[in-house]
Amino acid sequence: NSYGDAGRFEQLWPLFAHDAVMEIRNPPDTPAIYEGIEQIKQIFTGAQDRVREQLDAARPAYVRHFTATHQIDLAGTDHAAGRCYFSVILPHGLDHWGRYVDRYRRIDHQWCFDRRLVLVDGRNESSWFTHG
């Protein structure tokens, strides 16, 4: 999350398997599924564009993801599963929150995201990233 928050995307991409899948469930919207690293890249660059659109010169640009209660279960030498809570803070305050449910895979001795399910549990009425 820190790489994405800081716009350091070139450091972020290697954390995902080339065939990774990210699914975002943001009720009442239809779940969005992104397959492969090229589609996943659009999530992060699109979020960066939305932040830039919302800002004016009087407010500093920042996005802060906070994760908590991270649990990881190893499932062999090359696979694991994880879950944690998240909250996202923007210049206007708490924007949205929820849970990450992850599957990890070790590729060439590096742990990568194989699948990430983003479950949005709630949002601020003025959320920049969620509908409502």
Side-chain angles (χ1 to χ4, degrees):
N1 285 326
S2 63
Y3 290 152
D5 289 350
R8 297 187 336 235
F9 298 130
E10 294 309 313
Q11 293 170 289
L12 179 64
W13 310 144
L15 300 179
F16 289 89
H18 73 281
D19 59 348
V21 174
M22 186 177 287
E23 179 178 348
I24 302 173
R25 295 186 191 167
N26 180 23
D29 297 342
T30 302
I33 299 175
Y34 302 84
E35 297 182 14
I37 189 64
E38 293 306 315
Q39 288 186 11
I40 291 171
K41 286 178 180 182
Q42 295 172 13
I43 299 168
F44 294 96
T45 57
Q48 183 181 49
D49 292 343
R50 283 192 298 280
V51 169
R52 288 179 178 155
E53 289 171 6
Q54 294 291 330
L55 291 173
D56 58 39
R59 292 189 290 182
Y62 66 84
V63 176
R64 301 289 185 265
H65 282 77
F66 294 89
T67 56
T69 318
H70 197 177
Q71 299 172 315
I72 298 175
D73 301 314
L74 295 175
T77 58
D78 294 324
H79 295 87
R83 61 210 162 277
C84 65
Y85 301 113
F86 72 86
S87 57
V88 179
I89 308 294
L90 296 169
H92 65 271
L94 180 62
D95 190 84
H96 62 284
W97 56 92
R99 295 165 283 149
Y100 294 133
V101 180
D102 298 319
R103 286 193 334 224
Y104 313 108
R105 178 171 38 144
R106 189 162 32 186
I107 301 171
D108 297 328
H109 307 289
Q110 178 178 324
W111 286 100
C112 299
F113 288 98
D114 185 47
R115 182 172 184 91
R116 169 161 271 190
L117 172 60
V118 180
L119 300 165
V120 177
D121 292 334
R123 68 187 64 77
N124 182 307
E125 289 181 10
S126 59
S127 174
W128 291 358
F129 292 103
T130 60
H131 299 88

